[in-house]
Amino acid sequence: MTEVANKYVAKDFKSDQEVRWCAGCGDHAILNAVQRAFAELPHKKEDYAVISGIGCSSRFPYYMNTYGFHTIHGRAGAIASGVKTANPNLSVWQITGDGDGLAIGGNHFIHEIRRNINLNVLLFNNEIYGLTKGQYSPTTKMGMKTKTSPFGTVERPFKVGQLVIGAEGTFFARSLDTNIKHITSTLIQADQHKGTSIVEILQNCVIFSDKIHGWITDKEHKEDRQLYLEHGKSMIFGKEKNKGIIMTSHGLAVATIGEDGIKESDILVHDAKKEDPFIHLMLANMVGPDFPVAFGVIRAVEEDAYDENVAKQVADVQAETKFRSMDDILASGSTWEV
Amino acid sequence: MDKQAKVVDEIVIRFSGDSGDGMQLTGTLFSDASALFGNDVSTFPDYPAEIRAPQGTVGGVSGFQVHFGHSEIHTPGDYADVLVAMNPAALKANARWIKNGGTVIFDKDSVTEKTLKKAEFTTEDPVKELHLDGHNVIYAPISTLTQEALKDTGMDKKSILRSKNMFALGICYYIFDRPLNFTEAYFEKKFAKKPQIIEANKRVLKEGFNYAANIQALPSYKIEPATQENGLYRSISGNQATAWGLLAAAEKANLKLFCGSYPITPATEILMYLSQRKDMGAITFQAEDEIAGICTAIGASFAGKFAVTTTSGPGLALKTEAAGLAVITELPLVIVDVQRGGPSTGLPTKTEQADLMQALYARNGESPLPVIAASSPSDCFDWAFEAGRIALEHMTPVILLTDGYIANGTSPMKIKKMADMPTIKNRIAKANDENYQPYRRVDKELLIREWAIPGTEGLEHRIGGLEKMAVNGNVSYIPENHEVMSHERDARVKQVAVNIPDIKITGDSEGDLLVVGWGSTKGHLEDSVSQMRAEGKKVSFVNFNYINPLPKNTADVFKGFKNIVVAEINLGQFVSYLRMQFTDFKFHQYNKIQGLPFTVDELVGEFNKIMEEN
């Protein structure tokens, strides 16, 4: 990608369209964070392409003053894959939700991850279908009552991180709509990663699943319930900064420094670049009340990107071939004169 | 576009192998089955001169040629459409007798150091060494699968391998739709006292048949031009010609091609041929499903490539929602539908023209797009090019219909010079154009918007599936605007007719009967009409390649005839379409839906009947 010195401010990325999400919707914060991230990233404004499917989150491109494509339900991943493969010089951002990306678009989601196309996916997870007014989604917790599950859902939900890692994902990060600064910095890391970067953003729908992430965002306890991971740093959290994640014979556990002989050096140090996804998976799957929820870049592993390999193969073949035009192709092989 | 395609309703198969491989019997069984099937047959056995020629050598090859067809067959045929070769020596002995673009069924298990040496090959790849790689080569593991089929019988290996000719026969029976029962009855009679041999032969015959079905071995049809202009020619299949026509369109538009596609019979070869053309800068994206095939293509179109997606009927069904997205966003895109028998999975390896209505109408809302159809293997090149021209010049998705018959059939193609082909004018917007607006009509007559490609400075804009305000392209729910945009989309497709030629009549412009066809039936219809004209009948013919919109002079052409008959390989889709648009005319129809092309004889009989009765 062509890198340029950043000369933009967030407002350069605001379009002239009125933002129509509900007041209090988490999407406003995410929009704000994306505009801030774009202003910081080293790309030209015309090189951004923001591509969405269908759903509340998918209105996103209309609010961005970039090239944008509001596509059809579930297909943003496939269309974004086509855009990036056609022109690897673009900075491609796919905006999707838990319904758009994981239900109707589930197949494209796992395959763009498998191919490791160098694009960034923002998956707004509010565990509900908002635009169609409150039906359960593939991430809705078992037993939740919604418009289409009046007696509670009987479906097992996806864990987004596990799905990403299962699909051979090279990058998985999680952020929270209440923390604009963290979203911004996470998106910058996503952009820097070569390959499909999945950023799950826990997002609140004020109308149909209000406070769905309430346990995590609760102002009183959030320091004890949110673990911010950084590559190379200890997994320490808590109001008193005295809790941490340790490895035991039963898997991960929460320990308090100074209790039961636990020292700071016993706390795990986060290695996002580790190829073996074992610990990343355990971190991604941590849930309350026994564990804090992990945020930040959980996994960022270096692998070839599909679009790069495609471009390289074309360049390699073109360097070798004697065919320069369709005239050469048409006259190749066996021909005869009449 | 070759004007006078002569359809070959006859096929020549040559069975060849070592003199001990039972080729004479195989050929005889095939010709008997064909005769019982109602074909006229002529055969030609070709034994080695020496009674005991050395095994595995070219001199020891035994052959049997069968020539069969719907009409009278007078000779065993000169060159083979299909060569069955049981070993490298047989391949070598018969290589020069295969027609350009013919099919070779080769026992790949027969290739060993020893057999190659005996047949005097110098490389390890006999197909390549004989320059047969341009043919449709089926590398069938005949020996291995024969052994596998009979492994539980307790027979020894030598006896088992004696049945491998029946495996080859089974493959041919699948490809040419021959029933197995006659041959099975033959086994029962011939080996009445050896039930094990009956069972073994039956089983291997069936295994060969099933193998061909599993690999979806395709029938190959020959379509020969009756007269040829001077020039350089090559043999080409419809799928290859389609791929190359699309590439030619990309070159003339000064764009690179992107194909998003998912494998499906009988369209897969287009993706295969395009994937070979990285030298032309073509990108092929083998998608996770049909929907991703078209969606990646739409993404690539948005990003400035000449984008195509290739499929067959069931795949087109899956692509319909995305096709509507290309309609509303007015992005150039070619959708190739190689039609096959339907509905549902239907007859994947058989031909049909029954996706016409699907192509025209199977999208939600008022969602018009141009539809065109190719008529012969070689003219797939021209029609694929034309589909690209319309898509790029008119900024619209276009559906190109071919079908299993011409896609897998081959015909000679006169090689065109790229310099002689028309330049395709793309509609790319210029950087920093302050007047750029997504739905501004830069061509007021043709109602064409510009293509503003991501990466172009100063043209950042948003498009999408929601209805857009005329000119500025903002999301709009204004009732009157939807009506304006719906009319514009309708008019845009109608205006494609401005740039297409009038339809031409073969024969006189007045008469007793006008035979109307579209797409791949052209060769058979044209042959039947010329036969009737030779008998002094006042019959003419028109073939439609432009389906939507129709050529401007269509009604004028219909006016000159007492009767009009529309013949097609479906239950009457084009005739319904014509009845809807031209209420002043009475249309007769002739339809056949057996997964097979028409034959000239049946058409002549049918047309004569219409003339007698009306």
Side-chain angles (χ1 to χ4, degrees), chain B residues 175 204 219 352 547:
Chain B
I175 293 177
V204 175
E352 205 159 283
I547 309 292

Side-chain angles (χ1 to χ4, degrees), chain B residues 315-595:
Chain B
L316 185 63
L318 287 164
K319 293 182 196 294
T320 54
E321 187 197 13
L325 179 66
V327 169
I328 199 167
T329 54
E330 300 182 15
L331 283 169
L333 173 72
V334 173
I335 303 166
V336 181
D337 173 11
V338 184
Q339 300 167 94
R340 67 189 214 188
S344 188
T345 308
L347 302 168
T349 59
K350 305 295 171 190
T351 195
E352 205 159 283
Q353 294 184 296
D355 291 349
L356 181 68
M357 289 298 189
Q358 181 180 213
L360 286 166
Y361 302 118
R363 285 168 297 285
N364 62 304
E366 295 289 351
S367 187
L369 51 72
V371 176
I372 63 177
S375 287
S376 74
S378 58
D379 87 0
C380 284
F381 180 86
D382 304 282
W383 291 106
F385 184 91
E386 179 65 354
R389 183 195 69 79
I390 296 173
L392 291 162
E393 293 195 343
H394 291 264
M395 291 289 286
T396 177
V398 174
I399 293 180
L400 169 65
L401 295 172
T402 72
D403 56 41
Y405 170 55
I406 52 174
N408 301 300
T410 54
S411 62
M413 178 173 81
K414 187 177 172 190
I415 295 170
K416 290 195 168 69
K417 286 264 168 251
M418 291 305 294
D420 299 335
M421 300 197 67
T423 299
I424 294 175
K425 181 182 170 191
N426 62 47
R427 306 290 182 169
I428 296 171
K430 288 192 179 62
N432 296 314
D433 177 356
E434 284 173 11
N435 296 318
Y436 173 77
Q437 296 195 77
Y439 285 85
R440 182 176 65 143
R441 302 301 180 189
V442 283
D443 186 318
K444 298 271 186 286
E445 188 198 6
L446 302 179
L447 298 167
I448 291 161
R449 78 178 193 96
E450 285 170 295
W451 198 4
I453 295 165
T456 313
E457 194 179 335
L459 302 183
E460 292 86 352
H461 69 285
R462 273 66 57 194
I463 56 171
L466 280 173
E467 181 64 286
K468 295 296 185 288
M469 193 68 202
V471 188
N472 72 27
N474 290 328
V475 174
S476 167
Y477 291 98
I478 298 168
E480 292 79 8
N481 178 69
H482 179 52
E483 190 145 23
V484 166
M485 292 303 273
S486 297
H487 280 298
E488 282 195 3
R489 286 187 284 268
D490 182 54
R492 276 165 43 68
V493 173
K494 292 197 167 106
Q495 287 300 84
V496 168
V498 170
N499 287 328
I500 65 176
D502 279 351
I503 193 160
K504 289 196 179 62
I505 303 176
T506 304
D508 300 310
S509 56
E510 287 178 5
D512 295 332
L513 181 67
L514 178 69
V515 174
V516 174
W518 66 277
S520 73
T521 50
K522 182 185 175 195
H524 291 95
L525 294 173
E526 199 160 53
D527 274 8
S528 61
V529 168
S530 71
Q531 193 175 317
M532 290 171 76
R533 288 177 66 80
E535 291 161 10
K537 308 241 165 74
K538 290 180 178 160
V539 186
S540 296
F541 169 59
V542 280
N543 171 66
F544 284 85
N545 294 104
Y546 294 98
I547 309 292
N548 188 33
L550 289 164
K552 297 179 291 291
N553 65 329
T554 301
D556 293 337
V557 167
F558 290 162
K559 272 179 200 154
F561 295 88
K562 207 173 126 197
N563 288 294
I564 302 172
V565 60
V566 182
E568 44 188 332
I569 309 287
N570 56 36
L571 293 180
Q573 299 192 8
F574 190 56
V575 76
S576 303
Y577 176 69
L578 292 176
R579 281 176 187 144
M580 209 163 74
Q581 305 204 27
F582 303 101
T583 48
D584 293 346
F585 301 100
K586 187 186 165 202
F587 296 95
H588 301 280
Q589 65 190 85
Y590 178 61
N591 305 100
K592 168 167 150 177
I593 184 152
Q594 302 177 1

Side-chain angles (χ1 to χ4, degrees), chain A residues 46 66-67 326 330 332 336, chain B residues 233-234 251 418 455-456 462:
Chain A
E46 63 267 26
T66 61
Y67 284 95
M326 280 309 290
L330 285 162
S332 66
W336 69 91
Chain B
Y233 282 79
R234 68 176 303 127
E251 186 169 318
M418 291 305 294
T456 313
R462 273 66 57 194

Side-chain angles (χ1 to χ4, degrees), chain B residues 37-103:
Chain B
F37 192 67
N39 286 145
D40 198 11
V41 179
S42 169
T43 63
F44 174 61
D46 179 16
Y47 304 97
E50 298 169 59
I51 306 279
R52 286 199 166 182
Q55 208 183 16
T57 64
V58 174
V61 171
S62 157
F64 192 97
Q65 188 150 309
V66 184
H67 184 186
F68 63 97
H70 295 288
S71 47
E72 280 181 55
I73 302 288
H74 302 290
T75 72
D78 297 330
Y79 291 89
D81 299 286
V82 178
L83 171 70
V84 176
M86 301 301 284
N87 66 10
L91 199 63
K92 191 168 213 175
N94 293 292
R96 68 196 179 95
W97 296 110
I98 309 168
K99 286 184 195 165
N100 277 316
T103 297

Side-chain angles (χ1 to χ4, degrees), chain A residues 15-17 45-47 49 51 59 61-62 64-73 75 78-79 81-83 85-87 90 107-108 111 115 117 306 310 313-314 317-318 321 323-327 329-338, chain B residues 100 228-235 244 247 251 277-281 283 285-289 291-292 295-296 299-300 302 305 321-322 325 329 412-413 415-418 453-457 459-466 468 474-475 477:
Chain A
S15 79
D16 59 356
Q17 297 296 295
K45 189 155 141 265
E46 63 267 26
D47 285 342
I51 292 156
R59 288 303 187 89
Y62 293 123
M64 294 292 298
N65 185 19
T66 61
Y67 284 95
F69 199 166
H70 177 218
T71 73
I72 44 177
H73 201 19
R75 314 305 169 202
I79 289 176
S81 296
V83 171
T85 309
N87 184 358
L90 300 174
N107 199 28
H108 311 308
H111 286 281
R115 293 190 181 97
I117 300 182
Y306 172 91
V310 168
Q313 200 171 53
V314 169
V317 173
Q318 288 190 323
T321 183
F323 296 138
R324 294 286 161 228
S325 120
M326 280 309 290
D327 279 329
I329 305 289
L330 285 162
S332 66
S334 59
T335 59
W336 69 91
E337 196 79 46
V338 170
Chain B
N100 277 316
Q228 291 189 337
E229 297 166 38
N230 290 346
L232 188 64
Y233 282 79
R234 68 176 303 127
S235 173
W244 288 7
L247 286 161
E251 186 169 318
R277 293 278 75 90
K278 306 249 177 323
D279 45 17
M280 297 292 108
I283 292 174
F285 189 108
Q286 186 177 313
E288 55 273 21
D289 56 31
I291 297 170
C295 284
T296 51
F302 177 61
K305 297 273 177 186
E321 187 197 13
L325 179 66
T329 54
M413 178 173 81
I415 295 170
K416 290 195 168 69
K417 286 264 168 251
M418 291 305 294
I453 295 165
T456 313
E457 194 179 335
L459 302 183
E460 292 86 352
H461 69 285
R462 273 66 57 194
I463 56 171
L466 280 173
K468 295 296 185 288
N474 290 328
V475 174
Y477 291 98

Side-chain angles (χ1 to χ4, degrees), chain A residues 5-265:
Chain A
N6 145 44
K7 55 179 178 183
Y8 303 112
V9 292
K11 129 171 150 332
D12 292 329
F13 291 96
K14 287 191 201 317
S15 79
D16 59 356
Q17 297 296 295
E18 184 194 343
V19 179
R20 295 199 174 176
W21 290 312
C22 307
C25 173
D27 290 2
H28 294 283
I30 303 171
L31 177 64
N32 199 322
V34 171
Q35 287 163 341
R36 287 189 198 185
F38 279 20
E40 280 187 40
L41 287 168
H43 308 303
K44 291 194 234 166
K45 189 155 141 265
E46 63 267 26
D47 285 342
Y48 286 105
V50 181
I51 292 156
S52 64
I54 295 292
C56 288
S57 62
S58 288
R59 288 303 187 89
F60 211 94
Y62 293 123
Y63 308 139
M64 294 292 298
N65 185 19
T66 61
Y67 284 95
F69 199 166
H70 177 218
T71 73
I72 44 177
H73 201 19
R75 314 305 169 202
I79 289 176
S81 296
V83 171
K84 183 67 186 183
T85 309
N87 184 358
N89 198 44
L90 300 174
S91 177
V92 178
W93 296 75
Q94 177 192 336
I95 313 294
T96 185
D98 41 307
D100 185 66
L102 303 184
I104 188 166
N107 199 28
H108 311 308
F109 185 75
I110 56 173
H111 286 281
E112 64 184 324
I113 293 171
R114 175 179 66 80
R115 293 190 181 97
N116 204 33
I117 300 182
N118 192 7
L119 48 79
N120 311 296
V121 182
L122 275 61
L123 193 143
F124 296 25
N125 186 0
N126 56 17
E127 302 185 13
I128 200 81
Y129 284 84
L131 194 66
T132 51
K133 303 184 185 63
Q135 300 77 30
Y136 64 89
S137 88
T139 57
T140 302
K141 289 182 188 74
M142 179 94 121
M144 181 153 155
K145 288 181 179 168
T146 71
K147 293 264 180 72
T148 47
S149 59
F151 306 103
T153 71
V154 293
E155 287 188 20
R156 297 162 63 232
F158 271 140
K159 298 180 185 81
V160 179
Q162 184 163 332
L163 185 64
V164 171
I165 288 169
E168 309 281 320
T170 58
F171 185 101
F172 177 68
R174 190 184 286 135
S175 197
L176 193 56
D177 64 359
T178 53
N179 192 342
I180 294 183
K181 224 173 127 185
H182 185 259
I183 304 173
T184 308
S185 72
T186 307
L187 296 182
I188 288 169
Q189 293 175 78
D191 181 79
Q192 286 161 351
H193 174 73
K194 187 180 76 177
T196 307
S197 306
I198 307 291
V199 182
E200 178 192 18
I201 303 175
L202 304 186
Q203 178 250 335
N204 191 46
C205 171
V206 282
I207 311 294
F208 298 109
S209 61
D210 196 21
K211 303 197 173 54
I212 194 75
H213 308 297
W215 184 85
I216 304 166
T217 54
D218 184 285
K219 284 208 174 76
E220 281 284 294
H221 302 101
K222 64 177 182 183
E223 286 91 347
D224 290 324
R225 296 174 180 177
Q226 300 177 7
L227 165 67
Y228 283 89
L229 294 171
E230 281 183 68
H231 176 70
K233 298 219 170 131
S234 295
M235 301 181 193
I236 290 176
F237 66 103
K239 222 173 247 171
E240 316 293 332
K241 299 258 179 259
N242 63 342
K243 292 183 188 174
I245 305 295
I246 58 166
M247 182 63 83
T248 73
S249 54
H250 307 291
L252 300 181
V254 172
T256 306
I257 298 167
E259 283 179 18
D260 304 322
I262 296 290
K263 301 182 295 293
E264 197 171 328
S265 60

